[in-house]
Amino acid sequence: MSQRIKIGIVGVGKIVRDQHLPALAKDQDYRLIAAASRHGKVEDIPNFPDIESMLDAVPELEAVSLCMPPQFRYDAARTALEAKKHVFLEKPPGATVSEVENLKALAAKNGVSLFASWHSRYAPAVGAARAFLSSAKIKSAAINWKEDVRRWHPNQEWIWAPGGFGVFDPGINALSIVTHILPPMFITSAVLDFPENRAAPVAAHVTFRTSNGLPVTMELDWLQTGPQSWDIVADTDKGAMVLSGGGSKLAIDGRVVHDEPEAEYPMLYKRFAEIVRAGSSDVDLAPLQHVADAFMLGKRNVVDAFFD
Ligand code: NAP
C-alpha cells in the first residue's frame, strides 16, 4: 500500500462537512481523492453521483468512508468491499444487526478492513472513565442523554423514518460509551415514546442489568430545550462519577479530573489507518444490538405529534 491511503467519501452532508473533511485535511495518513453524492460536492477533487461511478472512474481508491444515513449504507458498503476497498462506516454502522454481520463476513472474504466507527467512544475523557470504573466497585449507573432535535437535526426526514432510530440516533452514542466502560449489560425493560405522526421514537426510558446484577437506567429525550445533557453517572465505592459533555469531561465527587478539547474524528481516522495497515477489522456491534433489543422489548407509547 502507498504511504498515504487514497480515500473517497460517500454521502456528502452535515457530518462530512462538520467533521470528516476537516479531519482528513489535517491527516498525513490519507489523501482524499474523490467523492460521491447525489447533490453534495467536495471542492477541488472529482465528484461523482454514486459510489459505482466513483469506483469505476478512480480505480486507485483504496478506501471509502460511507457517511449517508444508515438505511442506505449496506448496498454501498457491499459494492466497496466487493471491489476490495477498505470501508469506514459512520455510526450507526447499519440499519440492522444482521446486515452489518454480513458486511463483516464480506470484508474478511475480500481481504479488506471494515471499521464500524463510534465517534463518542473517542471522546477525550472516556478512557479515564473506563480506567476509573475498572478500579472501583460500581453500585449503579445512569445515562441521561437529552437534546433538542430541532437544533441538532433540522429537516432530517431519514432520522424519523424506520431505520433512522429517532432519539436512539444520539442515544447510540451514549451506548457506544457505556459498552466500553461498564460491564456487559442487558435490557430488562423499555418504553419508547412515538409521536403519533412519526415512525421513530422521540424519547425512551430504558432499564438494564449488568452481568453482575447492577442496575443501569437510560433516559433519552429529544425535546430538551435550554441546557443540553449528554451525561453518564455512576455511583461507586470510590465516589460519584460524572462523565459529561458527551464524554469530554470527567468529575469524581464534584472534582474535575479530566477536561480536554475533543478530537473524536481525527482519532477515528487514526484508528482506521491502524486497522488498514494491520490488515484487521474493528466492528463492535454491542451499541447497535442494544438499540435493536430496545425496539424488540420496548413498549410503544404514542405521544403528541412532532412538527419541525
Ligand atoms: P445528512 O446530512 O442528512 O445526510 C448525509 C448525506 O447522505 C446527505 O447529504 C445525502 O447526500 C446523503 N443521503 C441522504 N439520503 C440518502 C439516500 N436515500 N441515499 C443515498 N444517500 C443519501 O446526515 P448527517 O447528519 O450527515 O448524518 C449522516 C450519518 O452520520 C448518520 O448515520 C448520522 O447518525 C451520522 N452522524 C451525524 C452527526 C451529526 O452531527 N449530524 C454526528 C455524528 C454522526 P446527497 O443528497 O448528496 O446524496
Side-chain angles (χ1 to χ4, degrees):
M1 177 174 295
S2 62
Q3 214 142 26
R4 285 186 176 220
I5 300 164
K6 296 188 191 81
I7 195 165
I9 211 150
V10 187
V12 177
K14 183 172 189 307
I15 196 60
V16 166
R17 294 194 186 94
D18 288 356
Q19 296 289 351
H20 289 258
L21 297 179
L24 283 168
K26 289 194 196 124
D27 196 323
Q28 298 299 308
D29 273 327
Y30 299 90
R31 179 166 300 133
L32 177 62
I33 62 167
S37 213
R38 298 163 313 167
H39 310 95
K41 299 259 176 296
V42 178
E43 277 176 25
D44 302 327
I45 55 172
N47 286 270
F48 300 89
D50 50 52
I51 187 168
E52 290 81 4
S53 51
M54 179 178 80
L55 295 180
D56 276 352
V58 193
E60 64 271 33
L61 273 168
E62 294 161 297
V64 292
S65 276
L66 303 183
C67 304
M68 67 285 273
Q71 300 99 320
F72 317 110
R73 211 172 285 137
Y74 173 83
D75 287 341
R78 182 184 182 102
T79 299
L81 293 170
E82 286 179 341
K84 303 204 185 301
K85 311 299 177 189
H86 307 290
V87 172
F88 176 129
L89 300 169
E90 246 303 346
K91 56 70 41 174
T96 67
V97 177
S98 49
E99 73 185 35
V100 189
E101 289 285 8
N102 181 253
L103 294 177
K104 248 165 96 173
L106 275 173
K109 183 171 161 218
N110 286 287
V112 287
S113 299
L114 181 67
F115 182 35
S117 73
W118 297 112
H119 66 89
S120 292
R121 213 177 253 186
Y122 291 79
V126 169
R130 179 178 155 104
F132 171 77
L133 290 176
S134 68
S135 72
K137 230 173 145 184
I138 307 166
K139 298 174 190 166
S140 64
I143 301 159
N144 291 303
W145 226 251
K146 300 181 177 184
E147 63 175 48
D148 183 355
V149 62
R150 292 184 175 90
R151 178 165 159 200
W152 302 104
H153 301 282
N155 309 314
Q156 288 190 327
E157 280 306 312
W158 62 265
I159 216 163
W160 289 105
F165 297 3
V167 75
F168 283 94
D169 175 80
I172 204 168
N173 297 333
L175 289 168
S176 74
I177 297 176
V178 294
T179 50
H180 189 59
I181 66 176
L182 289 178
M185 57 186 205
F186 321 102
I187 291 185
T188 48
S189 76
V191 177
L192 312 185
D193 294 346
F194 284 76
E196 62 184 20
N197 61 339
R198 300 286 174 163
V202 69
H205 322 275
V206 184
T207 62
F208 300 82
R209 188 176 58 214
T210 67
S211 50
N212 49 350
L214 305 172
V216 179
T217 60
M218 178 164 83
E219 286 295 320
L220 305 179
D221 183 2
W222 238 359
L223 298 178
Q224 170 100 346
T225 52
Q228 309 282 286
S229 24
W230 296 288
D231 302 336
I232 296 162
V233 300
D235 184 21
T236 81
D237 66 336
K238 290 191 171 170
M241 184 205 85
V242 179
L243 180 62
S244 58
S248 63
K249 185 168 160 186
L250 179 68
I252 311 295
D253 279 340
R255 192 172 62 88
V256 175
V257 294
H258 205 102
D259 188 5
E260 269 179 42
E262 71 93 5
E264 293 173 9
Y265 278 77
M267 298 287 288
L268 286 178
Y269 274 103
K270 184 166 179 271
R271 175 70 183 143
F272 185 47
E274 251 170 42
I275 65 168
V276 165
R277 298 213 156 102
S280 59
S281 283
D282 180 348
V283 183
D284 178 10
L285 289 175
L288 188 65
Q289 184 66 62
H290 283 311
V291 174
D293 289 356
F295 278 86
M296 191 153 47
L297 196 66
K299 177 178 181 302
R300 186 188 174 102
N301 193 28
V302 178
V303 297
D304 288 348
F306 174 86
F307 299 100
D308 265 324

